[in-house]
Amino acid sequence: MSNSSVPLVAILLIVHSRPGPKLVFQYPANPEVQTPLHAEDGQRHGHTTGLGVDSVQRNSAVEGSTVEKATRSQSISNPTDGKIFGLSVDTLERVLSPGRWSDRKKFEVSLSGLTFVSHPVYADREGRWTKSRHDRKASPEASNDRSSTAANFADQSTARDGEHEATADLDITITEPPENNIDFSHVAESFESGNALSLGVSENSGSTTSAVTAEPLTAFHVLFALDSSAPSQPDRVNVFYEQLAKKLSQALTYCQKQSSYVGIESRRLMQMQSRLKQENASNGMLCSRSIEGSELAWALSVIYDRVRNASVATFRLNGMEMSLQIQHVEDHNLSQCSAILLLDDRDTLLRELSSPEQSPLAYFIRHSTPTKSLQKQAAKLGTPVRHLLQFAQHLIKWKNARAIAPLQPRNTYVVHPGTSLDSLEGLATDYASRFAVLPSLPQMLKILGGRPVKYGQLIPSRDHRAPYMDILAYLIRHNLVERLSTFGWLQTPAQLSRRCTSDAELNENQRPPSVSTLLSPLLRPQADDDTASVSSERTAVPVFPGGNGRLPAAAKTKAGTGPKFLPEAARMVRDPSNPTDDDLSYLQCIRAMIRDDTLRERLPSLSAYFDGQTALEDIAAREGLKRSMLDSWLEMLVDDGILVTFRHV
Amino acid sequence: MLKAVFYARFHPERGPSVIHQYPETAINVSTTEKKSSLLDFSNISSYVIPVYELCNKPLAICTNGYRVLGFPVSLEDEKYERNRFTYNVCFILDESADPKPWERIVSKTAAFFTDLEATEGLLQTEERLGGLKWAGDECYPADVGVLYSLLETVFFELNTYGETCVMVTDLHVLNLRLASPAPPHRDVRHWDVPLLIRALPNGDDWTYDLALRQINPHINGVNHVQKVSELADVDIDLIIKTIRGLLSHGRIMLLDIFHFHAIYALTADFASFVKDDALQEECLHYVAKSSSEQFPSGYELITLYRSLNPGVPVKDFYLAHESRLVNIDVRRFITFGVIKGFVRRIHKYALSVESQAISVGGSRTSGSPSKAVHGLDVDADDRNRAWRKAAFSSGWATPPLDPSAGERDSGNAHDGNTPAVEGGTATQNSAELLKYLDGQHCMDEICVALHMSEKQVMERLRGTEVLYFNR
């Protein structure tokens, strides 16, 4: 699900201490302003202009030792010149370091086609990260505890009491490398430097710009660099701020308060930087080594890669799991009539759950089907539908599912107008492995891209129903096909007027059934005593005053006395939810024409659906009717000329 | 809405300072006392007067709910103290306001100030005038110099009229206009049909682009871009450029090529057409043949439009409703819907299965239910493929795509309807055709590119494994 419209260009981590601001980490190593064609699996293979340092060295991929080898081999020929986005690191650090006025507020600066947005967090004026009340109370103990605290800060993340909080803010002066106790699974075995983390490194690297100091951290912020040259979308920066920058910053602040997390991680990164710079390593190498060596750097790289792919970033901060994403607001069409289409394999989703066996969500995932509405599933599973809606909302929010109209063999599906066939080859292979003995993907596209037919007609036998519905779900999941829906309005048919006027002279028993119903004396003008208000030409449709319900037989005696002027042409009820007086009389007339008793009964509640905007395919689910029955009703209405329809996707 | 505008410079003694601002109390320039103003200058002074590396390009910063758009300029000259003169004219907006329309105003103002300074030294001269008050001084503003009143005019006129014209000297006139940059239009393609939606001015009154003058007679809502190029004998790239210009001025629209094999379908907007009597009236006048005595009714139009179904080409639609269409120009009938957006063209795409099918060959074993159901001529396909595969692997000459294609082409060449495709170029043409069979190119594009009709393309592709689908 690569999304080329995501404007994210890079993520930067800047920390402040007394000597000044410091760019500790940036990802990717060589940011590109234009979006690469495919940004998948952490690989960048764009062909765009690098704004970064060594533009030759493009593959700043993060995973696997092969990548590391590649970057290593390239790094020799690509020494850095210290420029990012065409600016010196020094300038960038300065311009991206607002004053204390930006503390815990939105910070946004735009320069040379880029907008940087972040949520800076400052320590208090004394440089402390936790409240001084705890500090004072716990400090004697804390000083005893200092060395062990540093080594055990990972455990502290669970501790909530003031004592540990207090010690945490003293950790800034740690002298022990703490990484032995950190539990993060991604640390590469090649990370060779337990001892290199000691602060001694700063002495060796005094000549480089990245001298590592033991200065306490006074502020930090993670900046999201966005391409702002694109046409204006004022909300876009805010979306990145609210959904990524702010949330991440709040999480990091928590970790920093708990265990000086940001301070420790950034120091680790700076040490790594200064060492690698001495070895003349390239930016790319620096970047990949940072990611291997620091949980925070890893998290930032995951956020970048996932957000660029419009998917969910899941990572760990200080051992605690966190997920971030840019949410789209399009999925508001979830209702109890919708079905849930899982966007990933059931097993994959179940594996991602922490307790796949017991959790109700797992139960829901295991039993969800795109062919049944949530309402029906709730009945089947014996769960309240609001629970299912919650599960569905959760799955949709985290991009694991989509709300769709339940898949139905009675519906017509056609190739999606916006189908991108870029990835068709890969899909065809994947498809073939799933549906081995069924028509191939191109065949299915051909059929569904031809003259529209009901999907059920493609299913050769009852036994094929399940696999064919699976195919349909697959096609919908990959946006290859879409439902062709039917919409319609009710009308009084044109011939009605002609027949009615002539019929008026006929004997009652000679009339054709439908018209006799219509003209049956059951109907009288709506405004019985005020015929003047009803325009004789347009609205003299006989109407029974009550509006609904059976009509009294006694009224039959008035057969010939009803008004005989009927609409010359067919009259459509174009807005049934706000009917005019005319519309009401048409509806009455239409109702009288209906042959099926049940349908006639239900018409008042159904008529609102015939507004040209509600898909007729959805009526059955909304009204809790059997689809086959509804279809036969609609067919009857169309045959009688009462329902006019059109179709679109 | 512009909240404030100010002019600041780096002063060798005072550091970054605001010289002029309008309104007078918009920015708090004092570092000590808190005043009710939009923002504190001390917070953003390093962004208003940044390091040299960030000068001479736009720089915007948000603070206190406001967005400060600036374009710091740094002039280097021996005549200045410290050999540099750094200043910035900044515009303050609400943070929620869209800054895009202002960006060009900010850079144009910066360029104007630079010009004032470079040619007349006006910015520096003004500071030496006796009685000049700086923003934040007592009795600011003093009635000295031109810059304060310049800012005042810019502020008022941009807010009131969206444009301004200030004459500072005879030579220096600042013209600014607030305009959102036009949304980008989609690319003009060779097979797009341009249609003028607003008449061009008379050529006698207005001299326009030579290319436009040349192509104007051929833009009629029927000819596609390539045809216009051929008829007018104008380079196609020039035409595309011209059309792009007309698009951005809202004078032209791009349609698809209308022909009777094309398929059209309705969109969701059809519901609003049905409800809109005025639109139906407009439609009546547009689609009725000039010779017709009787106008169709709105209801009839709705009925006709409703019969447009995906899968039904215009030809079939016409035949089915011939009697009703007597008074209606079918092309205009369709075009009206396309222009108003309630009808859309469904394009036909061709996808060569060669690359796709081989990878999924396993799925097409004999006896698969698909054949029986869909009645596809799979056997012929299989034979054909087996033969081609054998041919490729044995090193024979590349088998022709369709043995009879050459003959048909030479036959077509005599029709004179389409540009001739000589038998000799048929192979070359076929090779070119293959490029378009990836499912990304619609049939219109293929036909225009190869100068063939849809029928000819289909015939050329007969016998090859090509899937057609509409979308």
Side-chain angles (χ1 to χ4, degrees):
Chain A
M1 286 213 355
S2 161
N3 190 343
S4 59
S5 62
V6 178
L8 183 60
V9 174
I11 296 184
L12 293 85
L13 169 64
I14 289 189
V15 297
H16 294 225
S17 52
R18 210 171 39 84
K22 189 96 198 77
L23 172 64
V24 173
F25 178 68
Q26 70 167 79
Y27 185 83
N30 305 298
E32 294 159 350
V33 163
Q34 286 171 33
T35 314
L37 288 178
H38 297 283
E40 284 173 6
D41 307 323
Q43 293 269 357
R44 309 262 88 77
H45 29 83
H47 53 81
T48 48
T49 331
L51 284 184
V53 189
D54 33 1
S55 51
V56 187
Q57 192 236 320
R58 282 260 181 273
N59 292 322
S60 58
V62 287
E63 289 161 275
S65 55
T66 50
V67 176
E68 198 194 315
K69 267 180 220 148
T71 47
R72 199 191 298 272
S73 65
Q74 284 176 3
S75 64
I76 302 155
S77 55
N78 292 294
T80 63
D81 69 353
K83 290 223 167 191
I84 303 162
F85 304 121
L87 298 170
S88 68
V89 174
D90 196 38
T91 304
L92 200 67
E93 283 170 348
R94 261 206 265 175
V95 77
L96 297 181
S97 303
R100 199 172 268 278
W101 56 268
S102 64
D103 185 18
R104 286 158 227 252
K105 288 196 187 118
K106 178 179 158 194
F107 168 67
E108 182 185 337
V109 63
S110 310
L111 48 112
S112 12
L114 288 171
T115 296
F116 296 86
V117 65
S118 71
H119 185 83
V121 182
Y122 277 74
D124 68 12
R125 300 262 172 201
E126 281 86 48
R128 284 176 307 208
W129 286 95
T130 45
K131 290 190 182 76
S132 48
R133 188 173 54 86
H134 295 302
D135 194 11
R136 245 175 272 122
K137 195 181 88 188
S139 51
E141 218 177 322
S143 54
N144 302 335
D145 207 21
R146 186 179 294 176
S147 59
S148 65
T149 312
N152 293 314
F153 79 94
D155 304 336
Q156 268 185 29
S157 63
T158 50
R160 295 289 180 273
D161 55 306
E163 184 189 326
H164 277 92
E165 267 186 45
T167 53
D169 73 88
L170 293 170
D171 288 349
I172 348 181
T173 54
I174 52 151
T175 51
E176 286 284 309
E179 98 280 11
N180 293 335
N181 283 17
I182 307 171
D183 171 35
F184 49 102
S185 46
H186 65 272
V187 175
E189 60 281 36
S190 67
F191 184 63
E192 68 241 72
S193 56
N195 50 6
L197 273 170
S198 79
L199 291 177
V201 176
S202 63
E203 290 155 30
N204 314 340
S205 56
S207 61
T208 68
T209 51
S210 52
V212 177
T213 60
E215 286 294 338
L217 183 77
T218 55
F220 67 86
H221 60 155
V222 176
L223 291 124
F224 291 82
L226 311 175
D227 182 1
S228 58
S229 59
S232 58
Q233 287 178 17
D235 291 344
R236 207 165 53 171
V237 175
N238 268 338
V239 167
F240 272 85
Y241 172 69
E242 292 291 342
Q243 300 190 4
L244 297 182
K246 198 172 171 185
K247 286 183 180 168
L248 180 65
S249 186
Q250 284 165 342
L252 287 175
T253 311
Y254 177 76
C255 294
Q256 172 68 15
K257 282 184 177 171
Q258 291 298 309
S259 56
S260 282
Y261 179 70
V262 181
I264 291 164
E265 286 288 309
S266 56
R267 202 164 311 128
R268 185 204 308 277
L269 284 164
M270 283 193 271
Q271 281 156 358
M272 228 173 316
Q273 257 183 24
S274 64
R275 194 163 30 98
L276 285 166
K277 280 217 172 121
Q278 280 182 332
E279 293 167 15
N280 239 351
S282 74
N283 257 19
M285 168 130 161
L286 201 64
C287 190
S288 55
R289 296 293 284 275
S290 303
I291 290 163
E292 287 164 16
S294 153
E295 188 188 50
L296 180 54
W298 169 274
L300 297 183
S301 75
V302 169
I303 295 173
Y304 176 87
D305 289 333
R306 294 294 163 174
V307 168
R308 287 277 295 217
N309 286 339
S311 54
V312 180
T314 304
F315 50 90
R316 278 172 179 277
L317 293 179
N318 205 8
M320 288 174 280
E321 197 167 272
M322 182 174 186
S323 296
L324 284 176
Q325 63 162 336
I326 295 286
Q327 273 175 36
H328 296 287
V329 277
E330 67 215 26
D331 273 316
H332 280 314
N333 47 2
L334 178 69
S335 74
Q336 48 184 348
C337 297
S338 354
I340 286 299
L341 174 67
L342 298 178
L343 296 179
D344 216 330
D345 286 336
R346 216 180 286 271
D347 296 339
T348 320
L349 291 180
L350 286 172
R351 232 175 290 130
E352 281 175 12
L353 291 177
S354 47
S355 54
E357 294 312 314
Q358 303 92 25
S359 82
L361 181 60
Y363 183 69
F364 174 65
I365 291 177
R366 226 173 279 128
H367 291 92
S368 89
T369 160
T371 55
K372 284 206 172 17
S373 68
L374 288 177
Q375 208 171 18
K376 279 192 189 168
Q377 285 184 54
K380 203 177 131 201
L381 301 180
T383 326
V385 71
R386 68 194 154 83
H387 289 181
L388 294 197
L389 276 168
Q390 267 172 8
F391 294 146
Q393 242 148 19
H394 178 81
L395 289 175
I396 290 169
K397 181 179 171 191
W398 294 103
K399 291 173 183 161
N400 290 321
R402 208 159 70 204
I404 54 164
L407 303 181
Q408 247 280 355
R410 288 175 172 271
N411 291 342
T412 304
Y413 294 89
V414 294
V415 175
H416 193 294
T419 302
S420 156
L421 295 175
D422 287 345
S423 49
L424 189 61
E425 212 154 330
L427 276 184
T429 323
D430 180 42
Y431 175 101
S433 66
R434 287 160 193 265
F435 311 107
V437 293
L438 295 164
S440 71
L441 181 59
Q443 290 292 347
M444 285 308 286
L445 286 182
K446 175 185 173 156
I447 297 156
L448 296 172
R451 203 173 266 260
V453 287
K454 284 199 171 143
Y455 190 74
Q457 290 177 17
L458 307 179
I459 304 177
S461 78
R462 227 186 143 66
D463 296 341
H464 285 92
R465 190 173 183 268
Y468 267 74
M469 292 316 280
D470 288 346
I471 290 183
L472 182 59
Y474 184 88
L475 296 176
I476 298 250
R477 183 200 288 179
H478 291 98
N479 281 325
L480 293 170
V481 304
E482 205 176 1
R483 189 178 76 179
L484 180 67
S485 313
T486 315
F487 304 83
W489 294 270
L490 293 174
Q491 66 168 14
T492 58
Q495 67 275 24
L496 190 68
S497 55
R498 287 196 294 277
R499 282 159 76 185
C500 288
T501 27
S502 53
D503 283 347
E505 279 105 51
L506 296 175
N507 271 333
E508 204 171 342
N509 49 8
Q510 287 174 309
R511 287 175 199 142
S514 65
V515 178
S516 81
T517 328
L518 163 74
L519 272 194
S520 81
L522 318 180
L523 304 166
R524 289 189 298 148
Q526 184 178 33
D528 214 358
D529 51 351
D530 186 15
T531 33
S533 75
V534 181
S535 140
S536 60
E537 188 226 339
R538 295 188 63 209
T539 55
V541 180
V543 169
F544 180 69
N548 49 15
R550 292 289 167 125
L551 298 155
K556 277 189 178 178
T557 52
K558 288 187 183 173
T561 63
K564 294 168 194 80
F565 304 101
L566 282 162
E568 288 300 318
R571 299 289 182 183
M572 285 166 79
V573 180
R574 296 188 291 187
D575 192 357
S577 34
N578 302 305
T580 59
D581 289 349
D582 293 358
D583 290 339
L584 286 173
S585 56
Y586 300 152
L587 282 173
Q588 209 53 43
C589 177
I590 289 162
R591 187 152 171 246
M593 280 185 70
I594 292 171
R595 289 176 279 158
D596 185 291
D597 289 344
T598 330
L599 175 57
R600 196 174 330 112
E601 287 280 303
R602 296 201 68 135
L603 191 72
S605 63
L606 294 179
S607 60
Y609 294 116
F610 302 109
D611 59 354
Q613 282 160 339
T614 313
L616 305 185
E617 285 82 356
D618 292 337
I619 298 180
R622 290 210 203 169
E623 289 290 310
L625 292 167
K626 268 230 159 305
R627 180 66 191 269
S628 54
M629 174 169 19
L630 191 91
D631 280 2
S632 68
W633 284 352
L634 294 179
E635 216 168 289
M636 188 164 65
L637 290 177
V638 171
D639 287 348
D640 290 349
I642 299 174
L643 177 64
V644 289
T645 60
F646 74 102
R647 299 203 285 178
H648 71 77
V649 290
Chain B
M1 166 100 181
L2 191 56
K3 291 288 170 188
V5 52
F6 67 93
Y7 162 59
R9 67 163 284 196
F10 181 82
H11 193 274
E13 285 144 30
R14 302 188 189 197
S17 328
V18 178
I19 301 182
H20 288 299
Q21 57 171 325
Y22 193 88
E24 289 118 46
T25 54
I27 299 154
N28 181 17
V29 291
S30 151
T31 46
T32 47
E33 48 179 316
K34 289 278 166 205
K35 285 184 185 166
S36 61
S37 48
L38 303 182
L39 44 93
D40 286 340
F41 184 65
S42 56
N43 283 348
I44 56 159
S45 62
S46 60
Y47 292 92
V48 175
I49 306 294
V51 292
Y52 303 135
E53 203 182 345
L54 294 171
C55 286
N56 305 320
K57 45 188 134 187
L59 176 62
I61 174 84
C62 294
T63 179
N64 204 28
Y66 295 99
R67 188 185 300 271
V68 181
L69 296 171
F71 194 104
V73 177
S74 185
L75 302 174
E76 213 173 335
D77 200 302
E78 284 176 6
K79 70 182 178 189
Y80 300 125
E81 265 183 82
R82 300 200 203 172
N83 296 332
R84 254 179 207 285
F85 176 43
T86 307
Y87 64 88
N88 198 348
V89 185
C90 294
F91 290 69
I92 302 181
L93 306 175
D94 264 331
E95 193 179 307
S96 52
D98 182 11
K100 273 278 169 204
W102 293 90
E103 285 171 359
R104 283 161 71 185
I105 288 189
V106 174
S107 40
K108 190 171 177 187
T109 312
F112 179 78
F113 271 63
T114 308
D115 203 32
L116 279 182
E117 174 62 20
T119 54
E120 314 211 354
L122 204 141
L123 302 183
Q124 291 269 314
T125 322
E126 184 162 320
E127 282 181 38
R128 287 192 284 272
L129 292 174
L132 179 81
K133 299 282 183 194
W134 287 40
D137 288 356
E138 290 279 315
C139 302
Y140 174 82
D143 192 14
V144 172
V146 293
L147 294 180
Y148 176 78
S149 56
L150 172 72
L151 296 185
E152 184 181 6
T153 317
V154 165
F155 177 84
F156 265 119
E157 296 198 341
L158 279 181
N159 270 345
T160 318
Y161 309 113
E163 57 184 49
T164 182
C165 172
V166 195
M167 187 181 269
V168 176
T169 68
D170 287 350
L171 290 175
H172 294 99
V173 183
L174 176 61
N175 280 297
L176 296 175
R177 187 177 192 183
L178 193 59
S180 315
H185 293 282
R186 69 168 174 83
D187 264 359
V188 180
R189 302 164 307 190
H190 290 196
W191 63 99
D192 281 327
V193 176
L195 170 74
L196 282 172
I197 45 176
R198 279 161 65 200
L200 295 179
N202 190 333
D204 299 334
D205 306 338
W206 187 51
T207 47
Y208 44 83
D209 192 303
L210 278 179
L212 182 53
R213 187 180 284 264
Q214 196 87 356
I215 63 174
N216 192 15
H218 304 287
I219 295 184
N220 55 4
V222 178
N223 296 333
H224 53 78
V225 172
Q226 184 167 302
K227 190 143 184 206
V228 171
S229 155
E230 282 158 12
L231 292 172
D233 194 20
V234 176
D235 180 60
I236 196 155
D237 290 336
L238 267 179
I239 296 187
I240 289 180
K241 212 172 145 191
T242 311
I243 291 178
R244 225 179 268 150
L246 291 172
L247 269 178
S248 64
H249 287 97
R251 286 190 177 267
I252 216 165
M253 238 187 115
L254 296 178
L255 308 175
D256 58 284
I257 302 174
F258 175 84
H259 55 88
F260 278 82
H261 292 287
I263 298 175
Y264 292 87
L266 295 171
T267 71
D269 289 347
F270 182 62
S272 41
F273 173 77
V274 167
K275 284 182 188 158
D276 190 340
D277 291 324
L279 193 59
Q280 290 170 26
E281 186 73 21
E282 189 185 336
C283 182
L284 288 180
H285 289 283
Y286 187 80
V287 304
K289 283 182 187 161
S290 50
S291 57
S292 66
E293 293 145 16
Q294 201 190 341
F295 271 15
S297 72
Y299 181 80
E300 271 174 72
L301 284 178
I302 292 171
T303 312
L304 284 171
Y305 276 123
R306 282 199 304 109
S307 324
L308 289 177
N309 244 333
V312 179
V314 178
K315 182 181 69 181
D316 296 352
F317 164 79
Y318 184 79
L319 291 176
H321 301 91
E322 207 172 353
S323 56
R324 291 171 170 208
L325 288 164
V326 176
N327 294 321
I328 292 176
D329 180 332
V330 178
R331 184 185 66 77
R332 291 171 79 90
F333 174 79
I334 296 289
T335 313
F336 185 85
V338 175
I339 293 171
K340 298 294 178 188
F342 63 83
V343 171
R344 77 180 171 93
R345 170 78 186 272
I346 292 189
H347 284 281
K348 183 186 252 180
Y349 292 81
L351 176 67
S352 167
V353 200
E354 294 291 283
S355 57
Q356 312 287 345
I358 287 167
S359 59
V360 295
S363 67
R364 296 161 108 254
T365 49
S366 59
S368 89
S370 61
K371 285 179 206 167
V373 182
H374 316 309
L376 297 171
D377 191 6
V378 182
D379 283 349
D381 281 2
D382 280 346
R383 265 203 309 280
N384 198 318
R385 201 179 43 199
W387 180 66
R388 288 169 62 78
K389 205 171 170 187
F392 279 126
S393 53
S394 62
W396 299 340
T398 311
L401 279 167
D402 180 355
S404 55
E407 293 163 35
R408 253 186 247 117
D409 276 336
S410 46
N412 284 329
H414 301 301
D415 301 342
N417 287 336
T418 49
V421 181
E422 296 300 327
T425 61
T427 352
Q428 189 198 338
N429 218 333
S430 299
E432 211 182 323
L433 180 54
L434 283 176
K435 286 194 307 196
Y436 292 102
L437 303 182
D438 59 355
Q440 307 284 353
H441 303 276
C442 68
M443 205 47 104
D444 280 359
E445 178 182 3
I446 302 174
C447 295
V448 167
L450 302 181
H451 288 102
M452 291 162 84
S453 72
E454 187 170 323
K455 207 170 158 194
Q456 287 170 318
V457 173
M458 305 273 280
E459 276 186 16
R460 177 72 61 80
L461 291 174
R462 185 175 294 165
T464 58
E465 286 189 63
V466 174
L467 296 178
Y468 300 101
F469 56 92
N470 305 319
R471 65 175 158 109

